[in-house]
């Protein structure tokens, strides 16, 4: 075993001694010809789990140059979070947010700059510096949405991780989605939204939430956010018990009188098909011009984690490619940049990811997120900070 591999084992020994499933790992290492039968029996002979873990870690460094890589592969199957500690970039555990019965769950690497999003930095938006105060009275309400309430609006997060047998997805939990949920909640609160989180919702419960939001009085607010993290197929998303059409979900908000003329933002982390993406370009939908009377479809913006027909990738340790990119871009730019520019940067960041599965059908696959905008004005979360409105 190389010295850098020994160092990785030493630096992460405490976590390995806490969580390693020693007997199972020893058995798998034996089946892959890393441990001898004597090694396996030596681990099993120890009287406590703690002693068994110590034995595995004491034997492993003596087992040759392939031992570390095979050990990581075993951890990938047994305890992925331990594998991520040892080689967080090369082979993080990935899933796809689509029907698991139609495709394998690949293992994928991600670019190092996007790899560790679980521990997001605290956001510090709307600091109220001198530049912000000096421009506060110059906002053009004809071209920029009003965004000045102390609470900007309600932000809904529906987070589906575990699915019922009736959905056909019960064997495919969305590991890593809680990281996405927490990252979004932190972001939306920093953007001054009242965050409402709902975990593991059925179709009926999702409909109930959307109807309640549609009849809520949004007069005290400037905007509304709806996000859902779940499995999906083209044009549909999964409740924990089955599918529902995206258009039926979003249509409910077109009749909400207290949201007329206010920006309504929808974020979807879900597959939209069964194809792996090799590469494609996505063009922005044309924006509507300003009108005196507001069309029912106006003031909506939809951000999808992928384009129709394709899988959406999710890391079971760090969260999905899309939400990782969204929170990073918004963290760095939301204080002074409009949402469409930020979502374009999200598209660019998502497109840098590449799967690394070792399987011909899913290796080196890509993803690009998609934006559909019917916004009539520029949407800034902190318009008081905008100095260039030309």
């Amino acid at each position: 075993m190389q010295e850098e591999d020994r160092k990785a084992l030493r630096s992460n020994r405490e976590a390995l001694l806490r969580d390693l499933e020693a007997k199972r790992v020893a058995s798998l290492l034996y089946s892959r010809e890393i441990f001898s039968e004597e090694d396996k029996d030596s681990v099993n002979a120890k009287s406590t789990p703690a002693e068994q873990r110590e034995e595995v870690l004491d034997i492993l460094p003596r087992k040759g140059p392939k031992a570390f890589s095979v050990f990581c592969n075993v951890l990938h199957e047994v305890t992925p979070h331990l594998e991520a500690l040892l080689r967080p970039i090369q082979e993080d555990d990935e899933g796809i947010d689509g029907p698991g019965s139609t495709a394998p769950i690949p293992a994928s690497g991600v670019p190092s700059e996007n790899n560790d999003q679980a521990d997001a930095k605290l956001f510090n938006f709307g600091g109220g510096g001198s530049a912000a105060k000096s421009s506060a009275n110059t906002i053009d309400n004809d071209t920029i949405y009003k965004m000045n309430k102390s609470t900007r609006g309600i932000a809904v997060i529906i987070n589906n991780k575990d699915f019922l047998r009736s959905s056909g997805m019960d064997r495919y939990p969305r590991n890593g989605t809680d990281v996405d949920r927490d990252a979004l909640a932190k972001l939306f609160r920093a953007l001054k939204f009242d965050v409402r989180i709902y975990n593991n919702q059925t179709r009926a419960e999702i409909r109930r939430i959307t109807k309640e939001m549609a009849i809520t009085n949004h007069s005290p607010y400037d905007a509304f956010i709806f996000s859902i993290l779940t499995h999906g197929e083209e044009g549909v998303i999964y409740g924990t018990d089955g599918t529902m059409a995206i258009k039926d979900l979003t249509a409910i908000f077109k009749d909400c009188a207290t949201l007329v003329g206010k920006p309504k933002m929808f974020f979807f982390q879900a597959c939209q098909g069964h194809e792996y993406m090799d590469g494609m370009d996505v063009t922005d939908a044309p924006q509507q011009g300003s009108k005196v009377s507001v069309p029912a479809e106006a003031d909506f913006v939809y951000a999808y984690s992928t384009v129709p027909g394709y899988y959406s990738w999710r890391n079971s340790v760090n969260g999905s490619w899309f939400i990782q990119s969204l929170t990073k871009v918004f963290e760095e730019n939301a204080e002074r940049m409009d949402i469409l520019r930020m979502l374009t940067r999200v598209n660019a960041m998502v497109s840098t990811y590449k799967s690394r599965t070792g399987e011909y059908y899913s290796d080196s696959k890509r993803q690009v997120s998609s934006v559909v905008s019917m916004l009539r004005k520029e949407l800034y979360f902190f318009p008081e900070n905008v100095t260039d409105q030309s």
Side-chain angles (χ1 to χ4, degrees):
M1 183 176 292
Q2 296 186 18
E3 180 56 32
E4 63 185 48
D5 298 334
R6 295 174 188 270
K7 183 177 179 181
L9 290 174
R10 288 195 299 269
S11 62
N12 292 287
R13 189 177 180 90
E14 182 178 348
L16 291 166
L17 289 175
R18 183 179 61 246
D19 295 338
L20 188 69
E21 296 185 29
K23 293 177 72 173
R24 186 177 175 192
V25 167
S27 178
L28 288 170
L29 289 172
Y30 169 68
S31 70
R32 297 177 192 189
E33 301 181 345
I34 298 299
F35 273 18
S36 66
E37 186 171 2
E38 182 180 348
D39 295 329
K40 183 184 69 167
D41 291 343
S42 178
V43 172
N44 292 336
K46 299 299 180 181
S47 57
T48 68
E51 291 175 340
Q52 292 164 0
R53 294 174 189 133
E54 289 273 9
E55 188 71 4
V56 169
L57 296 179
D58 288 343
I59 294 172
L60 190 64
R62 305 194 299 265
K63 304 313 291 185
K66 295 182 179 179
F68 183 79
S69 177
V70 176
F71 178 60
C72 289
N73 291 340
V74 168
L75 292 181
H76 177 75
E77 299 177 21
V78 179
T79 45
H81 72 282
L82 292 179
E83 183 217 10
L85 292 176
L86 298 179
R87 54 179 187 190
I89 299 175
Q90 284 79 7
E91 294 188 52
D92 284 347
D93 185 27
E94 295 286 341
I96 42 181
D97 280 331
S101 58
T102 63
I105 303 296
S108 171
V110 298
S112 58
E113 65 268 26
N114 298 323
N115 187 62
D116 188 11
Q117 295 299 313
D119 187 18
K121 293 185 294 183
L122 290 175
F123 301 109
N124 186 28
F125 296 138
S130 58
K133 292 178 180 179
S134 65
S135 63
N137 295 323
T138 65
I139 296 171
D140 184 349
N141 290 323
D142 291 332
T143 60
I144 297 179
Y145 285 106
K146 183 178 72 172
M147 195 76 73
N148 58 15
K149 296 293 199 304
S150 58
T151 300
R152 306 302 204 218
I154 297 171
V156 171
I157 302 174
I158 295 178
N159 176 52
N160 284 351
K161 178 180 180 180
D162 301 306
F163 295 80
L164 302 174
R165 181 174 296 180
S166 59
S167 71
M169 303 297 290
D170 53 302
R171 294 174 54 201
Y172 305 98
R174 299 183 59 258
N175 297 321
T177 190
D178 290 348
V179 175
D180 284 347
R181 174 201 62 198
D182 296 344
L184 282 181
K186 182 181 289 186
L187 172 65
F188 294 156
R189 290 188 183 109
L191 296 175
K192 299 188 177 182
F193 281 78
D194 174 12
V195 177
R196 316 276 180 91
I197 297 173
Y198 305 88
N199 293 305
N200 293 327
Q201 300 294 295
T202 64
R203 289 172 293 181
E205 288 169 334
I206 293 173
R207 292 188 186 98
R208 175 185 56 79
I209 293 167
T210 55
K211 289 178 180 177
E212 285 181 0
M213 288 296 105
I215 63 175
T216 294
N217 181 12
H218 296 270
S219 298
Y221 309 125
D222 294 318
F224 174 72
I225 294 176
F226 184 96
S227 56
I228 184 163
L229 317 172
T230 188
H231 284 306
E233 300 179 44
E234 187 164 355
V236 303
I237 54 171
Y238 275 80
T240 57
D241 59 343
T243 62
M244 60 187 300
I246 292 175
K247 65 179 182 179
D248 293 341
L249 183 153
T250 58
I252 296 172
F253 294 96
K254 296 173 185 175
D255 297 323
C256 180
T258 56
L259 281 175
V260 171
K262 299 177 180 180
K264 296 164 280 286
M265 294 159 270
F266 289 79
F267 301 97
F268 297 96
Q269 169 55 46
C271 282
Q272 283 296 294
H274 305 280
E275 297 295 325
Y276 290 109
M277 184 181 295
D278 292 311
M280 66 180 297
D281 297 324
V282 179
T283 57
D284 292 331
Q287 297 187 42
Q288 301 280 345
S290 297
K291 295 184 179 181
V292 176
S293 63
V294 179
E297 300 281 352
D299 305 303
F300 284 83
V301 60
Y302 305 97
Y304 299 89
S305 62
T306 189
V307 295
Y310 288 91
Y311 282 116
S312 181
W313 293 82
R314 169 180 34 81
N315 184 286
S316 70
V317 176
N318 296 327
S320 63
W321 295 1
F322 176 59
I323 300 300
Q324 286 182 63
S325 301
L326 181 78
T327 54
K328 181 176 178 62
V329 169
F330 278 46
E331 172 193 353
E332 294 175 351
N333 300 286
E335 192 163 18
R336 287 181 173 82
M337 188 178 291
D338 73 276
I339 192 171
L340 291 182
R341 287 181 65 195
M342 288 193 292
L343 289 174
T344 300
R345 295 192 181 191
V346 172
N347 288 354
M349 183 172 290
V350 172
S351 70
T352 65
Y353 286 74
K354 182 188 293 186
S355 66
R356 223 180 284 165
T357 68
E359 303 290 347
Y360 73 92
Y361 48 79
S362 57
D363 192 53
S364 297
K365 300 304 179 183
R366 310 300 289 265
Q367 180 181 327
V368 67
S369 47
S370 176
V371 182
V372 180
S373 171
M374 284 77 78
L375 297 178
R376 298 175 299 113
K377 302 179 182 181
E378 296 172 9
L379 173 52
Y380 294 89
F381 290 101
F382 300 95
E384 67 273 17
N385 293 345
V386 180
T387 57
D388 181 8
Q389 298 178 41
S390 58

